[in-house]
């Protein structure tokens, strides 16, 4: 049904390039990381365009996942709704255009104080270091957009909600309003840990939302950072999944599910009574174009089945399929139609 999947987050234009180690070192970037741009990264955005061959792709973690879910579902159009903030500029127009092409129902809060946000995706071999300059994305305001009746009606139409942890740095009150709505109406609220820095520096915001989380996503590095901050005293992915699953939860009608990916290693899922592992689809390393978007695609595939009320193993199967397709391509882009059963 249209608008049954709702996402809210940072709409960014990805500036993707294959770079070299010197470039990473110059800006003290880890090969595989996600960070927010600081003053020392100002030049990075100019240099990457001058020095390397760049491609521009519509990005932003949550928006990517909603698009992938829509692509997996195909029909009807506009199953996925997306809210976020952009600038009144060329990059903003590109994001609107790309959202239309992906058949998602994007409702952007448009303001002219800040330009549309960008994300430098610095690719080396099968690693990607992401540096996000949120700009406009950071200007999302609950009272200016989410609270407006015509927008809130779209929130109420949804059955499944997904927000990447990245949005915790922008508008905690917007996330809590959506999370509480989901919890009070026994709908599914899903959150992603998104990055080690979210688990470390935005832990208070994260833990305010956690009691409302029905499905928690993350990868192994995020899980380790989360476990350390929460004093779980373990680095074992299965143990972390179990402990995160058991954290306090408001809506007791649903048990939390924790889904942790580990790159080429098996995916770990903790539900109320057990921890299961699911192997990923095999891929020849030389077929990997870039892993930027793999995590977003995984979530998108998962959500596409979740919103159709399919069993957990089918959700994981779709997640692995979508991630496998995306890593063979540049950026978070996809072929015309999925080939998934």
């Amino acid at each position: 049904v249209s608008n049954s999947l709702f996402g809210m987050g940072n709409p960014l234009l990805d500036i993707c390039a294959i770079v070299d180690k010197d470039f990473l070192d110059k800006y003290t970037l880890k090969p595989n990381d996600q960070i927010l741009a600081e003053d020392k990264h100002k030049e990075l955005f100019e240099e990457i365009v001058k020095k390397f061959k760049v491609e521009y792709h519509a990005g932003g973690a949550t928006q990517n996942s909603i698009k992938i879910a829509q692509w997996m579902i195909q029909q009807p159009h506009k199953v996925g709704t997306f809210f976020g903030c952009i600038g009144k500029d060329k990059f903003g127009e590109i994001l609107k255009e790309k959202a239309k092409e992906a058949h998602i129902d994007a409702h952007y809060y448009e303001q002219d104080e800040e330009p549309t946000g960008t994300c430098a995706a610095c690719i080396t071999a099968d690693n990607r270091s992401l540096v996000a300059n949120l700009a406009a994305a950071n200007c999302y305001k609950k009272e200016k957009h989410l609270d407006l009746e015509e927008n809130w009606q779209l929130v109420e139409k949804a059955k499944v909600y997904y927000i990447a942890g990245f949005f915790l740095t922008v508008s905690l009150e917007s996330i809590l309003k959506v999370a509480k709505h989901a919890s009070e109406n026994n709908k599914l609220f899903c959150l992603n840990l998104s990055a080690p820095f979210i688990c470390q520096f935005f832990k208070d915001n994260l833990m305010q939302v956690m009691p409302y989380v029905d499905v928690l996503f993350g990868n192994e590095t995020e899980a380790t950072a989360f476990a350390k901050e929460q004093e779980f005293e373990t680095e074992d992915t299965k143990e972390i999944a179990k402990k995160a699953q058991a954290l306090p939860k408001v809506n007791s009608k649903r048990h939390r599910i924790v889904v942790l990916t580990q790159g080429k290693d098996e995916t770990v899922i903790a539900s109320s009574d057990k921890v299961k592992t699911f192997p990923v689809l095999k891929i020849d390393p030389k077929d990997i174009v870039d892993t930027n978007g793999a995590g977003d695609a995984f979530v998108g595939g998962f959500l596409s089945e979740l919103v159709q009320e399919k069993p957990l193993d089918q959700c994981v199967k779709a997640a692995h399929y979508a991630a496998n397709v995306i890593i063979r391509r540049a950026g978070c882009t996809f072929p015309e139609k999925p080939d998934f059963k």
Side-chain angles (χ1 to χ4, degrees), residues 13-257:
L13 191 72
D14 286 351
I15 304 169
C16 310
I18 292 169
V19 302
D20 49 36
K21 191 178 177 306
D22 293 346
F23 186 79
L24 294 182
D25 293 344
K26 179 176 177 180
Y27 294 103
T28 56
L29 301 176
K30 292 177 193 158
N32 214 21
D33 202 7
Q34 309 95 312
I35 62 166
L36 291 177
E38 297 167 47
D39 284 346
K40 66 177 178 188
H41 300 114
K42 280 275 188 285
E43 275 81 62
L44 179 152
F45 287 86
E46 289 157 26
E47 187 178 338
I48 196 168
V49 174
K50 281 202 190 97
K51 202 167 167 185
F52 304 99
K53 187 174 167 296
V54 300
E55 288 188 10
Y56 293 93
H57 295 289
T62 306
Q63 182 168 245
N64 282 344
S65 295
I66 299 297
K67 283 180 181 171
I68 296 277
Q70 180 66 55
W71 170 71
M72 289 285 286
I73 292 165
Q74 290 282 312
Q75 296 289 346
H77 289 165
K78 298 192 174 179
V79 169
T81 313
F82 178 77
F83 287 5
C85 181
I86 59 175
K88 295 180 179 172
D89 51 25
K90 182 171 149 263
F91 283 176
E93 288 305 315
I94 294 173
L95 287 185
K96 285 200 276 195
E97 199 45 53
K98 294 289 180 192
K100 231 192 235 99
E101 283 171 22
H103 305 301
I104 63 167
D105 196 11
H107 293 255
Y108 298 112
Y109 168 47
E110 296 179 46
Q111 49 74 60
D112 45 23
E113 273 160 50
E114 286 282 341
T116 296
T118 49
C119 177
C122 311
I123 295 155
T124 50
D126 59 359
N127 289 315
R128 53 43 165 178
S129 198
L130 307 177
V131 184
N133 179 25
L134 296 185
N138 201 29
C139 301
Y140 190 84
K141 299 276 183 291
K142 174 176 164 291
E143 60 284 354
K144 293 260 174 73
H145 193 263
L146 186 68
D147 292 344
L148 303 182
E149 194 180 337
E150 66 270 25
N151 292 333
W152 187 251
Q153 279 176 346
L154 290 169
V155 177
E156 291 181 324
K157 273 182 83 173
K159 310 187 287 201
V160 175
Y161 301 85
Y162 173 67
I163 298 176
F166 292 124
F167 202 58
L168 287 162
T169 75
V170 174
S171 183
L172 176 63
E173 56 282 7
S174 296
I175 299 176
L176 284 170
K177 182 172 182 181
V178 171
K180 286 174 178 168
H181 168 80
S183 185
E184 284 157 14
N185 294 279
N186 196 28
K187 298 175 180 181
L188 281 160
F189 181 79
C190 315
L191 184 80
N192 203 315
L193 294 174
S194 290
F197 84 85
I198 297 289
C199 304
Q200 292 156 345
F201 308 118
F202 292 89
K203 135 171 115 184
D204 294 348
N205 287 9
L206 175 61
M207 296 320 285
Q208 278 190 58
V209 179
M210 195 60 74
Y212 302 100
V213 177
D214 295 296
V215 184
L216 179 68
F217 294 100
N219 66 23
E220 75 280 34
T221 23
E222 294 149 11
T224 308
F226 181 69
K228 198 175 163 197
E229 292 299 326
Q230 298 301 318
E231 295 172 358
F232 284 173
E233 292 178 350
T234 178
E235 286 192 357
D236 179 274
T237 309
K238 289 182 194 160
E239 281 305 305
I240 296 170
K242 221 188 255 175
K243 293 193 172 199
Q245 195 281 328
L247 289 167
K249 191 164 183 305
V250 173
N251 177 9
S252 56
K253 292 196 196 92
R254 292 183 186 275
H255 293 290
R256 181 180 296 117
I257 297 166

Side-chain angles (χ1 to χ4, degrees), residues 222-332:
E222 294 149 11
T224 308
F226 181 69
K228 198 175 163 197
E229 292 299 326
Q230 298 301 318
E231 295 172 358
F232 284 173
E233 292 178 350
T234 178
E235 286 192 357
D236 179 274
T237 309
K238 289 182 194 160
E239 281 305 305
I240 296 170
K242 221 188 255 175
K243 293 193 172 199
Q245 195 281 328
L247 289 167
K249 191 164 183 305
V250 173
N251 177 9
S252 56
K253 292 196 196 92
R254 292 183 186 275
H255 293 290
R256 181 180 296 117
I257 297 166
V258 178
V259 184
L260 301 175
T261 59
Q262 311 185 86
K264 63 182 187 309
D265 298 323
E266 56 194 17
T267 296
V268 173
I269 301 201
S271 46
S272 54
D273 47 351
K274 54 185 176 296
V275 178
K276 282 170 99 172
T277 59
F278 297 82
V280 306
L281 294 167
K282 292 228 183 318
I283 184 168
D284 187 329
K286 68 175 194 305
D287 291 332
I288 298 176
V289 175
D290 86 58
T291 55
N292 179 27
D296 300 337
F298 176 93
V299 171
F302 195 99
L303 295 171
S304 72
E305 300 296 300
L306 194 63
V307 79
Q308 298 176 72
E309 295 171 15
K310 297 281 171 61
L312 195 56
D313 54 355
Q314 186 69 2
C315 294
V316 183
K317 202 178 147 189
H320 285 160
Y321 167 80
N324 185 275
V325 169
I326 268 46
I327 57 180
R328 297 166 189 269
R329 306 168 65 90
C332 195

